[in-house]
Amino acid sequence: MLCAGTACFNKILKYYGNGIENKKVAVFCGNGKNAGDGFVIAKLLVKMGVDACIVLADKAPELPEPKMYFDDAISNGVTDYYFAEYDFDCDIIVDCIFGIGFHGEPRAPFNEVFDAVNNSNAVIISVDTPSGTDATTGEAVNAIKADLTIAISTLKFAHVLPPANAYCGKIVTVNIGIPESCYDAGYVNTIIKADVKKNFVKRDTNSHKGSFGRQLNICGSYLMPGAAVICAKAALKTGVGLLKCAFPKSIYPVMTGHMIQPVFKPICENEQKTISIGAMNDIFEELKWADSIALGCGLGNNDDTQVIVGQVIKTSEVPIVLDADGINAVAPFIDIIKDKKAPLVITPHPAEMARLIGESTQYVQTHRIEVAKAFAAENDAVVVLKGANTIVTDGIQVFVNTNGNAGMAMGGTGDMLTGMIGSFLAQGMSALEAAKTAVFIHGFCGDITAAELSQSGMTVDDMLSILGALMSEFEA
C-alpha cells in the first residue's frame, strides 16, 4: 500500500502538480484495501502543503493495514469527513473507494457517492480502476467516470473492455515491483512499440523490389472503389516490394487516377459491376505470383463474390488477410475457412463478428476477448476484432491494442489496416506478428493524425499521408 500510494502520488503530481498547492484535494476512500493507497496519498499531499482531506464513502477502515495508514494520515494532520457531511468544496477528487475486487452493482451509499462525484466539477483521478467497474470482466453499471486512471503494475480488463474502458479517461501505469510471475489470466497483454519494432530488420544494401514481398489485393467494386485504393496505398506506405491490384474493370479510371505504383489487373465483372466468377482463372494465376493476399475490401457481396472468396481461401498457398465483404461472403458458410491451405488473418468489426458466430453485436461487445479467442482457436486463424482497444489473438495468445482514438471511427480505416497487414505478411512476418504490428502502427498513426488535426476533422487520407514518414519510427 505504501509503494502503491507513493507511486500514485508521484503520478498525480506529474499530471496535476502545477499549482496543486493552491487547490483542494479530496481523497475518497472505501473500507477495503484500496483505501490504504488513498490514505497514503492524502498524507503525502498534506506533507507538501496541499489542502487535502479524506472522505470516507461508508465507514472507517477496519482491516489492519488500511487502518494503520489511516491512523498515520490523521496523526499527520489530514482531516477526515464522512460522505454525508462533505460539501464537495474541492478541485481534485482521488477515487480510492473500490479496487479490483469489485463486482456487480454498487449498493447504498456507494451509488450515491458515485453520482455525487460524477456530478461534481472536480478533476477525477481513479487509483487502479474507476470504482464501480469490474476489473475482470469490463462490466460497469454505475461507476465513477475518471479523467485519469492510474493502473497499478499492469492493465486489467476494465481498462480495455467496454463498457468499463469508457469510464477510465487517460490511463497510465505505475510499477510497484510486482514480479511478472504473479500475473494470471485476470490481466492482459498489451501491444507495445518495442515488441512491434523487433519485427523489422535492417534492409540489405543489395535489396531489390522482390526482396520485400509481392502482395495481391483482390478488392473493389463500382460502388466502393475507394476501399481498394485505400488498401493499396496502405500496403505501399508500409514497405511492400511489389503490389498487384485485381479489380473489376469498370473502376480502372479510379484506380489509375489515384495511384501509379501498383501493377493493375482489371478483370471481368458481372452486371452488378463486382468481380465476375468468370475471372476465376485469372485470379488463380495471380495467386501463384503472390506472397500475400488482401481480400475483400469494397468487393461487394453477391453469389459471384461468395464463390470467388471461397475459392481463394481454399486455393491460396500464401497467407490471406480477409476483411469487409470478404468476411460477409463467407459468413453463410464459415466452415470453408477450415479448408484453407495457408495462414489466415480475419479482421471483423463487432457487427461482422456477430454475423460470423450467430450472436448479437451487443453480445460480441460484452464478450470481446472470449469471442475472438474462441473463434480463432476453432478456425485456426488469427482474429483481429476491431474497435476501441482492438483484440488480436491466435486462439492461445491474446493481445490488446491500447492506442488509437475515436477519430478513427470512420469508413476506410479498416481498409487501411487490411493493406498494412497484407504488406507485413508479404514481407515475411507471421500472421500473428503481422496483425499485431499493423494494429499498433495503425493506431499510432491515428493518434498522431488526431493530434495534428482533430478527431472530428481527420480523414483516412490524412492518416495515409503521414504513414510513410511514421514508418521511420520502426526501421531497424
Side-chain angles (χ1 to χ4, degrees):
M1 289 181 188
L2 179 60
C3 289
T6 303
C8 291
F9 164 76
N10 289 328
K11 195 67 74 171
I12 291 168
L13 292 188
K14 177 180 178 180
Y15 285 92
Y16 298 102
N18 186 23
I20 196 170
E21 63 276 2
N22 299 316
K23 297 176 182 177
K24 294 183 178 181
V25 181
V27 184
F28 277 67
C29 299
N31 51 28
K33 292 183 177 180
N34 206 50
D37 303 347
F39 301 145
V40 171
I41 293 168
K43 172 191 168 181
L44 293 173
L45 286 168
V46 166
K47 286 188 71 174
M48 70 171 291
V50 177
D51 184 358
C53 67
I54 292 169
V55 179
L56 298 171
D58 185 16
K59 56 186 178 181
E62 299 174 349
L63 296 174
E65 192 174 5
K67 186 177 186 306
M68 177 180 70
Y69 288 112
F70 174 73
D71 292 341
D72 185 43
I74 299 303
S75 67
N76 277 274
V78 180
T79 304
D80 67 302
Y81 301 89
Y82 285 95
F83 164 67
E85 62 188 18
Y86 185 63
D87 62 3
F88 280 84
D89 180 22
C90 60
D91 303 293
I92 298 173
I93 290 175
V94 181
D95 159 34
C96 294
I97 302 171
F98 290 122
I100 60 175
F102 178 85
H103 302 284
E105 297 185 35
R107 59 172 176 80
F110 298 107
N111 53 342
E112 291 95 340
V113 175
F114 293 174
D115 290 340
V117 169
N118 288 337
N119 289 328
S120 73
N121 293 319
V123 169
I124 302 172
I125 303 167
S126 287
V127 170
D128 210 7
T129 57
S131 294
T133 62
D134 190 317
T136 59
T137 67
E139 295 178 1
V141 178
N142 180 21
I144 284 180
K145 193 170 182 63
D147 297 292
L148 175 74
T149 296
I150 305 172
I152 306 296
S153 295
T154 185
L155 299 183
K156 289 80 180 177
F157 290 136
H159 299 126
V160 297
L161 294 180
N165 63 337
Y167 290 82
C168 294
K170 180 178 178 62
I171 302 169
V172 296
T173 59
V174 290
N175 184 355
I176 63 169
I178 298 175
E180 290 190 13
S181 60
C182 293
Y183 300 157
D184 58 25
Y187 300 88
V188 299
N189 295 306
T190 55
I191 307 172
I192 61 174
K193 187 175 183 179
D195 289 340
V196 168
K197 193 167 183 177
K198 71 183 182 183
N199 287 324
F200 295 90
V201 297
K202 187 174 179 62
R203 292 196 164 198
D204 191 282
T205 303
N206 296 316
S207 299
H208 54 84
K209 59 188 178 184
S211 301
F212 306 111
R214 296 174 294 187
Q215 179 174 338
L216 173 64
N217 286 5
I218 306 173
C219 301
S221 61
Y222 185 77
L223 294 179
M224 291 178 287
V229 173
I230 292 167
C231 181
K233 284 187 175 182
L236 295 171
K237 292 280 190 175
T238 48
V240 73
L242 288 165
L243 175 67
K244 186 176 289 187
C245 298
F247 51 84
K249 60 184 181 180
S250 62
I251 67 169
Y252 182 83
V254 177
M255 299 296 290
T256 56
H258 285 84
M259 297 178 291
I260 58 174
Q261 187 172 340
V263 176
F264 296 109
K265 182 71 177 182
I267 51 183
C268 63
E269 60 186 32
N270 56 23
E271 292 182 355
Q272 295 166 284
K273 295 190 177 180
T274 66
I275 297 175
S276 168
I277 196 172
M280 276 310 315
N281 287 337
D282 284 340
I283 292 173
F284 285 148
E285 286 300 312
E286 298 303 338
L287 295 180
K288 299 174 185 177
W289 170 87
D291 295 314
S292 74
I293 312 293
L295 177 62
C297 300
L299 197 64
N301 187 17
N302 53 49
D303 290 345
D304 282 9
T305 56
Q306 288 181 4
V307 172
I308 290 166
V309 170
Q311 289 300 311
V312 170
I313 290 172
K314 292 169 64 175
T315 304
S316 177
E317 297 182 359
V318 299
I320 298 170
V321 52
L322 186 68
D323 183 38
D325 282 331
I327 296 171
N328 294 329
V330 299
F333 45 98
I334 189 60
D335 284 348
I336 197 170
I337 68 175
K338 295 178 181 177
D339 297 331
K340 62 186 179 300
K341 296 180 179 179
L344 176 70
V345 179
I346 185 167
T347 63
H349 56 58
E352 289 167 342
M353 178 57 84
R355 288 193 288 272
L356 290 175
I357 65 172
E359 293 282 358
S360 67
T361 302
Q362 178 63 26
Y363 177 84
V364 171
Q365 284 291 72
T366 54
H367 300 80
R368 283 174 62 82
I369 289 178
E370 62 186 88
V371 164
K373 186 177 181 180
F375 188 91
E378 181 180 351
N379 294 284
D380 187 26
V382 170
V383 171
V384 176
L385 181 53
K386 295 183 290 194
N389 299 316
T390 292
I391 308 293
V392 181
T393 178
D394 61 358
I396 301 172
Q397 302 178 80
V398 180
F399 298 87
V400 179
N401 190 54
T402 57
N403 62 17
N405 60 82
M408 299 169 67
M410 57 182 164
T413 52
D415 305 312
M416 178 179 174
L417 179 63
T418 296
M420 295 169 68
I421 297 173
S423 172
F424 296 140
L425 288 170
Q427 293 175 66
M429 292 186 198
S430 71
L432 181 62
E433 292 303 320
K436 288 167 54 184
T437 299
V439 165
F440 181 87
I441 296 176
H442 185 248
F444 188 31
C445 184
D447 284 342
I448 292 176
T449 307
E452 291 185 355
L453 299 172
S454 69
Q455 290 188 15
S456 299
M458 63 187 285
T459 67
V460 179
D461 275 345
D462 296 323
M463 290 178 64
L464 288 168
S465 70
I466 69 169
L467 179 58
L470 182 65
M471 291 301 297
S472 66
E473 296 272 342
F474 303 92
E475 285 186 344

